[in-house]
Structures are given as C-alpha cells and as structure tokens.
Amino acid sequence: MLLATFLIQYERIKGVQSSGVMTIFWFISLLCATVIFISKIKHALNMGADEDAFRYSTFCIYFVLVLVELILCCFPEQPPLFSETVNDPNPCPEFSASFLSRITFWWITGLMIQGYRKPLEAKDLWSLNKDDKSEEIVPGLARNWAKEWSKTKRQPVNMLYAPKKQQKSGDSNGDVTEEVEALIIKPSQKSSEASLFKVLYKTFGPYFLMSFLFKAAHDLLMFTGPEILRLLLDFVGNKAAPNWQGYFYTVLLFVCSCLQTLILHQYFHICFVTGMRLKTAIVGVIYRKALVITNSARKTSTVGEIVNLMSVDAQRFMDLATYINMVWSAPFQVIVALYLLWRNLGASVLAGVAVMVLLVPINAVMAVKTKTYQVAQMKSKDNRIKLMNEILNGIKVLKLYAWELAFREKVLEIRQKELQVLKKSAYLAAVATFTWVCAPFLVALSTFSVYVLIDETHVLDAQKAFVSLALFNILRFPLNMLPMVISNIVEASVSLKRLRVFLSHEELDPDSIVRGPIKEAEGCIVVKNATFSWAKTDLPLLNSINFTVPEGSLVAVVGQVGCGKSSLLSALLGEMDKKEGYVVVKGSVAYVPQQAWVQNATLEDNIIFGREMSEGRYKRVIEACALLPDIEILPSGDKTEIGEKGVNLSGGQKQRVSLARAVYCNADVYLLDDPLSAVDAHVGKHIFERVIGPKGILKNKTRVLVTHAINYLPQMDTILVMTDGEISEMGSYQELLEQDGAFAEFLRTYANTEQTMENSESDPSLEGTIQPLETDINSPSAKEGKPIENGVLANEAPGKLMHRQLSNSSTYSRDTGKPQHQSSTAELQKPLAEKNSWKMMEADTAKTGRVKASVYWEYMKAIGLFMSFLAIFLFMCNHIAALSSNYWLSLWTDDPVINGTQRNTTLRLGVYGALGISQGIAVFGYSMVVSIGGILASRHLHLNLLHNVLRSPMSFFERTPSGNLVNRFSKEIDTIDSAIPPIIKMFMGSTFNVIGACIIILLATPIAAVIIPPLGLLYFFVQRFYVATSRQLKRLESVSRSPVYSHFNETLLGVSVIRAFEEQKRFIKQNDMKVDENQKAYYPSIVANRWLAVRLEFVGNCIVLFAALFAVIARTKLSAGLVGLSVSYSLQITAYLNWLVRMSSDLETNIVAVERVKEYAEMEKEAEWSIEQTAPASSWPEEGKVEFRGYGLRYREDLDLVLKNINVAINGGEKIGIVGRTGAGKSSLTLGLFRINEAAEGEIIIDGINIAKIGLHDLRFKITIIPQDPVLFSGSLRMNLDPFNQHSDEDLWRSLELAHLKNFVSSLPDKLNHECAEGGENLSVGQRQLVCLARALLRKSKILVLDEATAAVDLETDKLIQSTIKSQFEECTVLTIAHRLNTIMDYTRVLVLERGEVVECGTPDQLLQEKGIFYSMAKDSGLV
C-alpha cells in the first residue's frame, strides 16, 4: 500500500494521465479481497455471529475503497497544470486516454463511428504524435548514420591519395585511375559495410525493445490453452468430478485467451509504430541525401531507382518490423511445444520432429531461391519504371514520331523477363504452400502412427490425441512463419544494401568553391588554373580555366554547341568535381538553367521561391521579365497553379519564370545559361534591356551570360570564347575584333545582322519606335487572344488546380472532363476560393462502399473463368479432406479399449493417412492454379494498361501528373503481380477454415446453434464498421502518398537550382510535411487494425467460452473425442477469424489496384492507329501538297477556337515560314497537322487525302517534325535514331554526317551504341537538337515541320542546320515555326498568324513592303 501511495505521487509529478501499473495493482488487490470477502460472508452465514465485528466492518470498508480506487483508475486525470499547452487543432486522443481505453484501443472508436457515418476526409485526421513527426525522427537517424559513415570513411581515404599525385605528374591517365578505383573499392568493402542496420538499431532499438517483453508473455500464454484443454478432457472423462471444476476451467480458458489478445495487440502496436517511424526516417534521409550527392553518383541511381528506394524499400522495412521478433520467438515456441508434447506422447514425438526438421532445409532452399528471383525481378522492374518514366516524359515526341509501338515492344520485352521470373517464383510459392499446409498433418500422422505401432498398449485416447493436435496447431504457426520471416529478412537485407549504397554515394564537396563575402578587390568571380570533370574518374571536361570577373560587370560566354559553356556555369556552382585550381565566388548566387525548371506550385510561389514577398519588387520583376501579358492570360493570374514540369506554360514562359525567380531573389552573382533562347525576338530584346543589359534591373550585379545571340555582344564588358573545354580568347568586343582570331571570323559571317543592331543602338530616332511596341504588348488587343503555349491552352489551369489536389483520386478525370463553362475570370477564381470543393469529388460514391463485385469479376476474367472455378473447387476438396481426417480421429479415440489395446488400429491409421494425402494433392493443385492464374491476370492487366495509356490522347497526359501514371505502373502493377495471388490463397483458406470450425462445433454440441448466429452477426457488424473506415484511411493514405513522390521527382530534376539558391532547408521541410501528411493517414489505419483485432478476438474467445461451456453442461451425453474435437477447433477459430478479417480487408484494399489499372481502359482514346480500308499508298504523299480548308481547332469542347478559318494551300516543295507573337497559334497549327488535336471544323488535305480519314500512324509516319524540346530516350544512340531498326548503319552514319554529328559520334568509344542517359542528359541541348535533325534526315519524308528547332543552337550550327535542310529537303515541303526571322527570309512564303487567324501571307519581300505585322517583327529583330 505504501508503495502504491509513493507511485501515485511520483506519477502525478511526472504528469502521467493514466497509469497502467496502478490499474493492474488495484485490480489484483480487488480480486484477492473478493475471495476473502466471499469466504467471510459464507463464514458469517454458517457459524452465527462469533466473527470479530470490528475486523469484519473494516474489511468491508477496505473492500469498498479498493473497488472505488479501481473505478477511479479507469478514468484519465486532467493533464497536469505544468504541461506545455498544446496548440494543436486536432490532437490525437491517445495520450489523454485511460489505461483501459489504451489497451483495448477504445480511444479510436470516435473516428471509426465518424468514418462509418460518412467517408473520412483529410481534415478529420488527428495530428501525428510528436514522437512520430519527421523533424523528431529523421535528424536522429541522420546523425547516427553520419557518425557511422565517418568511421568507415576514415580508413580508405589515406590510400586514395598516393596514386593520385603521380597521376598529376603526367602518367598516362587511364590505367592509374583504374588502379585508384580498385584501391578505393577493396578496402572500403570490409569497412564501409557502414552498417546501416546498426544505425537503425541505435535509432529505433530502445522503443522497439518493449515489444520483446510483450511477445515473450504472449508466447507463454499461448500454451495455457492446450494445458487447460487437457484438464477439461480429464474432467469430461471423470464422471465423479464436481461441476464447479468444469466451470472454473471454462472461465480460466476465457480469461487466458482475453489476456493473450490484449498483450498480442500491444506488441503489434509497438511493432507497427516502429515500422512507421522507420519509413519516415528512411524517406527523410534519402531526400536529404539526394540534395547533396554528386552528379556522377546521380547517374548511377536513376530517378526511378531512387523513387523505388523511397516507396518499395522503405515499405520492406515497415513489413519487417512486425516480423523480426519471430526470429527468436519461433524457436522458443517450438521448444516449449515439444516439451509439452514429450510429456504427452513420450518418445514418439521425435518422429514428428524429424518431419519438421526435414521441412526446414526445404523451406530454407526455397527462401534463398526466392531471394535470387526477387533481385532479378526488382532489376527488371527498375528498368521498366525507368523506361515508363521516360516514355511519359517524352510522350509528345513519341506521338509525333508514331513510335509508340516500338516503345511498347521495349516495355513488353522487359515485362516478359519479369513475368518469367514471377512464374518461377510462383512455382516455388506453390511448393511452399504445399509444405506449409501439409506440415502439421504429416507431423501428426507420423507421430500418431509411431506412437500406436511401437507398442500394443499405447492407446490413443481423446486427451492424448486432441491436446497433441492443439499443440501441433500452435507449432504450425512458428514453422510457417519462419520461412516467411527469413524471406522477409532477406528482402529487407537486399533493400538495406541498396539503401546503404545510395547513402554512401559521394557528396558534393561544399568547399571546392570558396563562397566568400564581398570584400577584396580582386574581383567577384576568380578562377585560377582550374580543371573540372563531372566525376572523379572521368577525364577533365574543362581544362586550365583562368578568368576574373570584376564586381558588377556583364560577361558573355560564347562558343560552339557542346564546347562546355553550361559546364562552366555548373563548375562555378560547385556541381562539378574540381580536380585542381582555385575558385572563388563572392556573395549569393542566382542561377537560370538552360532548361527552365518550374515547380508544381502557383506562378507567384515559383517566382518568390521561398523569399519574403515584397509587392513593389515583385511587380517590377514581373514587368521587366515580360510576364505581365502572360499573367493576364492565365485564368487566376499569378495565383494560377502551374502543372508538373510546367506543362501549362510554353517554353518561353517557363524560361521567363525561371529568370524572374533569379531576379527576384536579389543575389550578388547571376549565372544565366542562355535564358533568351526560348523567347521570341522582341521579348528577348525587352528582357535584355530591362533585366540583363547595362540599363536593366541587374545593372549593378555581376552577371555571367551564356548566349548565342550575337546582337547583344557589343554591350558586354567581357566576352569569353570557349572551344573544347578551354577558354580560347577573352576580352571586350572591340579587343576581340582587333585580335582577329576565331571570334572575329565567327562574327564576320553574321556581320550584317550585327551591323543593323549597332545602328539601332546609336540611332535615337529608332529608340523611340521601340517604345510604342512595348506598350503594345500590354495593350488590350494583345490580351484578348487566348494564348496557346506549347499546345496547352493556358486556360486549363483551374481544372488543373482541382485535379492537382486529388491527384491520386480516380474521380477527377470525370470531373475535369465535364464542360466547366468558363466565361469570366471571376468564375475562374471560384475553384481557388473553394479549395475544398475537390473533397466532395474525391469521396465519390463509386469509390466507397461496394463497387467491389465487378472488380472481382474483372480479376476473375483476367485469370480465366475456368481456372478461377477450378481453384475454388480444389479449395473445397482440400477442406473437406481436412475435416474428415479430424473427425475420423475423434471416432478413433472413442474406440473402446479392450485389455489395454484398441482394435482396428491399422485400419484407422490407413484411412487417416489416405485422407491426409488427398488433402495434400488438393493443396498443391490449388496453389498452382492460383499462382499461374495470378500471372496470367497480371500479364493481361499490364498489357491493357500499357496499351490504353499509349493510346490516350495528348490532353490526357497534360492533365494527369506523371507521378500518378508511374504510380499505376509501379505500385499497382506490383500489387497485382506479387500481393494479390497469395492474399487470395490465404483469404480462401481462412474462409473455409472458419466455416469448418463452426461445422465441427455444431456437430459436437448442437445447442451452439443458438449462440453462433448472434456472434456471427456481431462479427459481421464489427467488420463492416471497420472496413468502411479502413478503406477510406487507406485511400487517404495513397492520395497523400503521391505528392511525396511528385515532390521528390521534382526536386531531383531541379536539384542544381535548389543548391544554387541555397534553398535546401526549405525543400527538406516541405518534404517532411508531405511525409507527415501521409503518415497522418497511416497511423489511424494501423490503430484501426488493432481496434478491430481486439474486438474480433473477443468474439472468437466467446466462441471458445461457449464451446467449452456447452461441453461441460452436456458432459453426460458427450464422448471425450467429440469434446476434444470441438474445443480444439474452437481454440483455433480466434486465429482464423483474425486472419480472415485481415485478409478480407487486405483483399479489398489490394484489389483496388485492379480497379485503378482498369480505370484507364475507360478513358477517351485517340483515333485508330491504322485503318486498313483507308490506308494510303506506301508512296503517299508524293508531292507534299498541304491544304487547309476552313480549318479550326480547339483544345477542349468547352473552350474557344484557337485556330479559326484557316484557308491556305501549300504546294509541294514550298518552304513556308510561320511567324506570329507568342500565343498566336503557331504550334497549334502543327498539332493540327499531326492530329495531336482533332479538327473542330474544316479539314486538312495532303495530296488529295483528307488526313482525318486515315489512321494516326499512317499519317504520322509520313510527316516529320523536329520538335521544340529535343527529347532523347535512354538507350543507344542507334535506338534513338531508328527505334524500329529499319535502316542500315550506312544510312545512320550518313544522316549523322549531314547533321554535323559525325565527328562527335565517331569520337565516342561506343560510336552508335553510345548509351544516352535518362533524358539524354549526357549530351548538350544543342547536340540533342542535332540528333533530332538526324532523325528527320533518316525518315526523309515529303513534309517536314520545324518547330523553333534551332532555338538552343549557336548561330554557326544554326547556319549548318539551315543549309542541310535546304540541300537535303529541297523537293520537300518545309513548314518552319520561326523565332529568328533571319532563318526564313529566303523562304518562298511567310504566314503571319495573329490570334489564331492568318492575317498576312506572301513572300517575305512583299510583306516587308506592306509594313504590317511582319514588318514590325522584322524591325524588332533588326532585319530592316
């Protein structure tokens, strides 16, 4: 009692709201007091009043007080006054719940009820507990890993430097680096097993250790069941025993079962929470690592692989956390069970043990095999996801080139490999299931037969048989679990290794570039003797670079394609590996990459990029970057959400947003990588004058500008000329002209254009004419036209916004498809105001509740109906055989014993064996059928999904985030491949087990018929109640999972920008928030699982209670054999029920994958790829005559026409230039020609054939386009040029030669088989553009479309391209969308588009005379 008082006070000081220790203490003292109390009352009644009245009354008072204490203990106290105030709008009730509520998980009931009444939404979820948040967990793991990593890094480092030095002294580079490599690798192998396991254990071990105690307690309690069963059978057999004994055993059995339940689920809860923390930590650590690894390391792990690390491998650890304790608990259970069996049956147990021991190596071999298959499958999967990622990123090019089939074949080839591996693992799984299900039976058979046959006097009575069976059933679990746990550990070890490799990648050296404050007068950027390469092992790309940039000066970097201009900027940012030399960059840096990186956020967020918002500055920046007209066009102004990778902006807009971001952040040094390439001439001029040039916003900053535009060079302070990674000349414009070197030569070629620019600089009268033009950009007339940028009408955004928010919910496609008649901006802003409107859409009725039957039916059809029904039939056979064998056993035990022996022993044994063997055959059959069926289904579903996605029109890809699609191809297909078949097996198995158990109980004690239906109803109700909430939680979890991956993908793409702006902290924080959002939905779902299990096991325990109770009541009529049978079955039923609900909810949540894969089958499709009847002749088009007749085009039914009433006839072989301001509909014209968007009115006729009547591939194969963004796919150069392998090597080389790539390609070690990186990142943008030109040359079609194809190329290369096109495509029809008007000055005709209509059409000279729009544009470019 004193101790209790102490404890109470101590816990109050600690601020514990409800104490478990005290509750248990008062409960036990109440129990003890009750016993004394009852005996005292009996005593008093029997003996009269010779009781000590004082002691009697004090005892009563004591008893009442203890009772009151216990009741008080059940209610939680108020939180103590001194605890910090929680400003959480929706805190988790777990901490304020009482002890009882916690062990039974009662505290989540509120959420369950809410979820049952109406589908849950994200706002209903509780906040995470403090200990589960990213900011608590991740830094801990990161710290521990850093410690561990630095330990292991110490050793190999000293060996690494010795050979490096001699390399500098001028050894032949090659072999030394090899040697260095080897030296680095070997020693680090031993030590740099920087054991990640140790680190994880350090971080999460202490909390996890609690689970050991719970598990041990549970394991011991498990064996009380069979022991009490033995006593119970003794009691039934002994007719003289008093009745209270039977009732006592029954109650004892019930109490033990309940205790077992509560302990087990506390254990599971700890495991799952640990698993959840593990995942949070791993995702956080991977994200942080991805921000610091070097570019060469990034090449070894593709985006797909890193995303897989986050999704698949982190998941593996979560799964492992729940099972890892089985490693010691399983052997422990086996040993205890064997000891009890030995007591029961003596030495014959050894026969059973022998069978088990034989099965272990078989299982082990299978686990090892499974592992090898797993690794192979993971590899294929990584490749497939990587390829899918690229296909989805380059889908537009795929459609324009009609290459879908080639890539479909590539994906299917990888998929075929994957399926072969899956098939092998399916055979293994079938064998495993067979050993798994038959093991207990074989053990029982061998034990019993040995027992009976050794000695005539060994009688198999009920007690021996059924207690042994109960123990064998307990044995079955650890034996089954062990192989599973082993394979889980194996999988986790594979994942652990992948993670370790990723976390051990080289990091960028932050000190390679000195980022000093601005003090010394040396200059703002100083580079001395610096040599850089992309990776430690590569040859240097930039050699002995020397230059100094004084503060506030403007430096241009010019040179050929691929000479290292962009690399130079990367080097200044510290993205490259510095081999030697000294680099200083003073002050903060802002960087504009060549390919703009735009985040999926509002336009404003993209520009502010985490800085403070200052209205005035923001307005100035937007105005200077010429973004005002664009913002006015966007549906919600600068609050418009920009899609992933900026899909709803054109190239030029993205580039300007990227520039505005840099200008807004007000840094000291600006590194600009060709920001003017993607914008029109007049916009470029505006930007140069207002931002970059000597009079711009940035005039006092240090600016390094990589550019191809010669007309700005005279205004530069210094010009660096680069050739092949070295600075060949540098100086001011005049100096370089006087040196008369390569630069002067280069300029002379283009002297005329440059001359005109200089005139306009000096001539003030012209200066005035530019002014009105700029005002004109903002005049209302320019605003009305809906701009089309890159083929996405800017107006798509509100739909986008809504859809963004439910990016993973399958409902959205139907919603944004509905015409949202968008009449006014006010109406457009509504979706912004009603941020929550999407939630109603997300909780779409079809998705909650019972859509299920049709999906199961779909899946069965995918397997094949014959196989489905065959599997069900085999399941029935198996369970009938199992039931009969046990019933036969109970008949056997009831055989009368004559002279200490039983008759018919051999007959009994024979039938028992036969039944068992037939059971085995059925098991093998059904697991084979299900596994093979599963593979057939996943092949069928993947093929459909792939085909449907490739057949979807372009608009589908523009409004569906690629994260969603990749998710379908990775997560959902993975679920269908490897999760659904085993779940189906277990679901069917446990269903039949439960039914079987009920049948047996009814056979033994028919009176149980009264009690089973109500319990069944209760069970069913609890389960439905749970599934409603659980499914919705699961859905919320997967909806919130996508943003984590999308954000991660985005970060990987823009990592250099993030590093340049030093915004890592903010991005890490964002990532943490997204992960926490995801775990917020996951945590309630694990608790809900526990809630359900506790309730269901209670139902199961009631069944045990009643089975035993009725057996005790009817003991006079029952034989011991039947009682044994019925109670031993009822003991199993708890486990089966638990398993059944787990499996049925797993099945429901996983079958959703089938639903989500099927969902894309119902999407709108493009027109047919090829139509036999109307296919044009193979030689079509012969002359290349293109006619637009009254042609009009719109992007969606409910939007205005973007092209209207276009009537143009283009004769074969004409060269047509298409010009117009941004958003005039230039790109839309080509999209119409390729039928990326179908005509809204009118038609296009090519050589007399209406293109709308023929198949898409028939059309697209015959026209060639050189697209605006050069897209390459990873694979060989040959595959990029000719995916269908139609051309010979000679053809390929010829096309490369004409594209001026021959020298470059022949200098590569692998020539045509040179592997292009993901997205072609190991070629410069200009080189990629040339590869696209080579593709066009190979196809040699009559009609060629150039879409601003030369924007990223320097003038010299541009000239080469133009001359190639002139010579090679002489008799072809060429349509060029031009930014640089000088390229089209010699064309036959020019079309000028304005707001989707042709306003001028004629030869360039005619149009110049007319002094219309074309004239004003030409004047802007300085051509007049």
Side-chain angles (χ1 to χ4, degrees), residues 88 535 562 820 872 1422:
D88 198 339
Q820 310 161 332
I872 293 173

Side-chain angles (χ1 to χ4, degrees), residues 786 795 820-828 1198 1200:
K786 294 218 170 137
N795 257 23
Q820 310 161 332
H821 288 290
Q822 304 169 334
S823 45
S824 68
T825 331
E827 204 173 316
L828 289 186
D1198 47 323
D1200 303 349

Side-chain angles (χ1 to χ4, degrees), residues 227-237 245-247 249-250 253 1108 1111-1112 1123 1127:
E227 283 304 290
I228 297 171
L229 175 62
R230 204 181 58 168
L231 298 170
L232 197 70
L233 288 175
D234 269 353
F235 163 78
V236 172
Q245 262 186 3
Y247 296 125
Y249 291 148
T250 306
L253 195 59
V1112 171
V1123 174
V1127 176

Side-chain angles (χ1 to χ4, degrees), residues 1172-1341:
E1172 287 294 317
Q1173 297 80 11
T1174 60
S1178 58
S1179 58
W1180 175 88
E1182 274 158 8
E1183 46 175 334
K1185 185 173 176 211
V1186 183
E1187 252 181 292
F1188 291 86
R1189 297 187 185 164
Y1191 185 75
L1193 176 74
R1194 54 164 61 104
Y1195 279 99
R1196 287 216 310 262
E1197 281 74 67
D1198 47 323
L1199 301 176
D1200 303 349
L1201 290 170
V1202 282
L1203 290 179
K1204 34 197 180 287
N1205 193 16
I1206 292 195
N1207 288 299
V1208 182
I1210 298 168
N1211 300 318
E1214 273 196 298
K1215 307 285 180 282
I1216 304 284
I1218 302 173
V1219 295
R1221 302 206 183 275
T1222 298
K1226 304 186 294 273
S1227 301
S1228 312
L1229 203 58
T1230 56
L1231 295 181
L1233 191 59
F1234 280 91
R1235 283 176 61 199
I1236 294 289
N1237 291 71
E1238 299 288 348
E1241 53 188 47
E1243 53 193 13
I1244 301 178
I1245 306 267
I1246 297 180
D1247 280 7
I1249 290 187
N1250 179 351
I1251 62 167
K1253 298 275 187 285
I1254 60 177
L1256 287 181
H1257 280 185
D1258 296 335
L1259 168 70
R1260 291 174 187 168
F1261 268 128
K1262 301 292 185 176
I1263 331 176
T1264 305
I1265 185 167
I1266 302 183
Q1268 187 177 5
D1269 313 325
V1271 177
L1272 297 190
F1273 300 96
S1274 63
S1276 63
L1277 205 56
R1278 173 184 276 116
M1279 189 229 60
N1280 267 301
L1281 290 170
D1282 176 28
F1284 288 100
N1285 283 334
Q1286 294 164 329
H1287 302 278
S1288 66
D1289 274 14
E1290 288 81 68
D1291 294 347
L1292 293 177
W1293 280 111
R1294 192 170 319 114
S1295 68
L1296 284 174
E1297 184 174 9
L1298 294 168
H1300 310 284
L1301 275 173
K1302 186 173 182 180
N1303 296 345
F1304 168 68
V1305 176
S1306 41
S1307 70
L1308 295 169
D1310 302 331
K1311 311 263 188 301
L1312 283 174
N1313 295 329
H1314 175 68
E1315 278 296 313
C1316 301
E1318 214 171 339
E1321 286 182 0
N1322 49 4
L1323 299 177
S1324 73
V1325 180
Q1327 284 165 333
R1328 281 182 245 172
Q1329 197 78 63
L1330 293 176
V1331 172
C1332 291
L1333 174 65
R1335 278 180 196 163
L1337 290 163
L1338 261 185
R1339 281 174 83 146
K1340 246 340 222 193
S1341 53

Side-chain angles (χ1 to χ4, degrees), residues 433 859-860 863-880 919-936 980-992:
T433 311
Y859 188 69
M860 282 173 70
I863 293 181
L865 294 180
F866 170 70
M867 292 194 75
S868 310
F869 288 116
L870 178 66
I872 293 173
F873 173 70
L874 286 168
F875 264 110
M876 305 262 304
C877 296
N878 166 36
H879 283 279
I880 290 168
Q919 180 187 347
I921 293 169
V923 171
F924 190 66
Y926 79 68
S927 44
M928 279 309 257
V929 171
V930 172
S931 301
I932 300 299
I935 287 174
L936 292 176
I980 293 184
I983 285 177
I984 286 182
K985 273 193 253 185
M986 293 197 236
F987 172 72
M988 300 286 289
S990 39
T991 313
F992 282 114

Side-chain angles (χ1 to χ4, degrees), residues 14 48 72 147 330 371 485 512 573 575 637 646 724 765 794 819 875 906 984 1004 1038 1144 1183 1349:
K14 283 293 234 196
L72 284 178
K147 272 189 222 151
K371 169 184 171 174
V485 173
S512 67
L573 287 171
E575 299 273 317
D724 295 336
S765 64
F875 264 110
T906 41
I984 286 182
S1038 71
S1144 59
E1183 46 175 334

Side-chain angles (χ1 to χ4, degrees), residues 306-380:
I306 303 177
V307 172
N308 253 350
L309 278 179
M310 279 176 88
S311 54
V312 183
D313 296 328
Q315 192 64 44
R316 292 262 167 86
F317 284 106
M318 280 173 83
D319 299 342
L320 185 67
T322 43
Y323 290 129
I324 187 92
N325 274 328
M326 289 305 294
V327 175
W328 61 265
S329 146
F332 173 68
Q333 288 180 21
V334 171
I335 290 165
V336 177
L338 287 180
Y339 166 71
L340 293 174
L341 277 169
W342 182 276
R343 253 184 37 195
N344 205 7
L345 293 177
S348 42
V349 173
L350 292 176
V353 177
V355 174
M356 284 183 194
V357 172
L358 279 177
L359 288 176
V360 171
I362 297 178
N363 277 336
V365 169
M366 287 195 291
V368 172
K369 270 277 193 246
T370 314
K371 169 184 171 174
T372 48
Y373 292 149
Q374 199 101 36
V375 175
Q377 190 198 339
M378 279 305 276
K379 205 165 167 178
S380 304

